[in-house]
Each structure stands twice: as structure tokens, then as C-alpha cells.
Amino acid sequence: LYATAKDITAEKIEEHRLDRVSNDAFDAMEFERIISSISPMAIYRVDRQGHLYYANRTWELKAGATLEEAKGLGWAKVLHPEDRERMEKRRGRPLHEQKPIPFEFRFLHPDGKVVWMLCTSAPIFSSTGEHIGSMGAGLDITSIKENQECVEALNQQLKLLMEAGGHGTWTWDIGNGRTFVDARWCEMVGLDPEVRSVDDAFMGRII
């Protein structure tokens, strides 16, 4: 009986390493897919020309369009017309300007519904360092915007009522100890109408 043997320990170690790398890569991709699918954030990806090729279900709901409808440059069609030009300019920015800075825009649904979004994006690089696109995520801030609009409308109504009644108004900024007054207040207390800020000592003399 004649037999030979060869040490294949190194080959097996390398084979095991490659299997582990492959599994790790698969696990990472699967993990990313699952997180994206269940995330309450609108997640999307575009290539280096700004062509959309991935969007999760949340993005579709916020945009009022499916991924198929918004693929490529179709995403621009679901933006509010007033935001479209500004967002298309972002697409053409050079790489060094593509920093994760938050930006706002609006989706306009076919039924006229407006959805305000606060998003941020960051460039994606290949394993060789080549810029291959960008990934972004966004939150629906429609309720915040609507509340701001309500407050602004109420403030405007209050201002009109005060002006109609001949009332002067002042606002105290506790943080810096300054008091801001309107033109009517200046008129009533004999201040220059151009004055818009007075110190606490002056207010104390009046009170």
C-alpha cells in the first residue's frame, strides 16, 4: 500500500475566510434591506447623475408615486413646482459640495395634497473609492409646517387687530434683556419711530 498526503490547511483557511466574507456581505445587504423596508423614514438612492434607482415604501407613500413612476429623473415630476428647479440644481452639484446638510422640499400628490420633507443625503463610494451615487433619508415635517403657518396667521391677525385699535405693542427678549417695540408704541411714548429696541431701564421708567 502506497499513500501520499498534502497539507491543505492554508487552502481551507482561505476558503473559510472567503465564505465568511461572502456571508458577512450578504448579511449586511439583507440587514440594510430589512431596515430600509420597515423604516419610518423615506430612504432613497440615486446614481452619480441623480437618477433614482431605489426608494423604500415610506418614500413612495410620501411622494405619492411608486418607484417605477419615479425612476430615473421621474422623481422631479412628483415635486412641488415651486421646489423643482431648486432640487434639480442640487442634483448637479460637484462632489465636494455634497455634504450631509439638511434640506427641505415638498412633494405634490395627484390629488393636490402637499407633503413637506426634511432630508439629508451623503455620497456613496465603491470599494475602490469611486463616487457612484448618493443615499438619502427624509422625515415628513408637514404637521410642523402647518403649525407654523397657523401661528404666523394668528400673529398677523393679532397685529391687524392691535393696529386697528390703536394699541402699541412691545416684546421682551428675556435672553438678552432687550425689549422690542412697534411704531405705535414709539409714538405713544415719544420715541423716534425708527427705534425698534429699548433697554430695560427705559421700560422701567415708563412703567
Side-chain angles (χ1 to χ4, degrees):
L1 177 63
Y2 179 79
T4 61
K6 180 182 179 182
D7 185 350
I8 59 171
T9 302
E11 288 87 342
K12 285 296 181 181
I13 291 175
E14 179 63 13
E15 181 181 318
H16 178 69
R17 186 189 69 80
L18 292 174
D19 286 343
R20 187 173 67 252
V21 169
S22 177
N23 289 333
D24 288 347
F26 174 78
D27 290 344
M29 292 175 61
E30 181 66 6
F31 177 76
E32 182 179 335
R33 184 193 67 79
I34 293 173
I35 291 298
S36 178
S37 67
I38 64 176
S39 174
M41 299 186 72
I43 298 174
Y44 64 92
R45 289 181 181 176
V46 296
D47 63 20
R48 59 188 301 174
Q49 284 77 41
H51 297 156
L52 180 72
Y53 65 88
Y54 171 80
N56 67 351
R57 179 56 179 160
T58 302
W59 189 96
E60 292 180 318
L61 293 173
K62 301 303 179 184
T66 65
L67 174 58
E68 289 302 315
E69 293 169 333
K71 267 187 175 179
L73 296 178
W75 56 265
K77 298 178 182 178
V78 299
L79 297 179
H80 193 288
E82 295 177 3
D83 297 340
R84 196 169 294 158
E85 182 179 354
R86 175 170 56 84
M87 293 302 296
E88 288 181 341
K89 286 182 179 179
R90 283 187 59 86
R91 180 173 68 89
R93 291 183 310 163
L95 179 60
H96 70 274
E97 293 183 4
Q98 296 187 24
K99 300 176 182 179
I101 300 174
F103 56 94
E104 296 179 1
F105 65 90
R106 290 164 289 180
F107 284 126
L108 180 61
H109 290 200
D111 62 1
K113 178 182 179 181
V114 175
V115 178
W116 277 92
M117 299 295 296
L118 174 63
C119 293
T120 187
S121 63
I124 301 174
F125 298 94
S126 69
S127 58
T128 60
E130 179 187 5
H131 176 224
I132 57 176
S134 299
M135 181 174 182
L139 286 173
D140 183 343
I141 59 170
T142 305
S143 60
I144 296 175
K145 286 294 184 178
E146 290 176 345
N147 289 336
Q148 287 177 347
E149 291 174 359
C150 287
V151 171
E152 290 172 1
L154 289 172
N155 285 337
Q156 183 62 23
Q157 291 176 13
L158 178 60
K159 179 180 178 182
L160 292 174
L161 288 171
M162 297 293 284
E163 290 177 352
H167 299 285
T169 61
W170 56 273
T171 304
W172 181 29
D173 186 338
I174 300 176
N176 61 25
R178 299 294 293 175
T179 302
F180 299 91
V181 298
D182 65 5
R184 177 55 180 155
W185 181 274
C186 291
E187 181 182 347
M188 290 190 300
V189 299
L191 285 176
D192 185 336
E194 297 300 320
V195 172
R196 287 294 180 266
S197 175
V198 295
D199 58 28
D200 292 341
F202 179 84
M203 292 298 293
R205 292 198 302 271
I206 295 175
I207 295 173

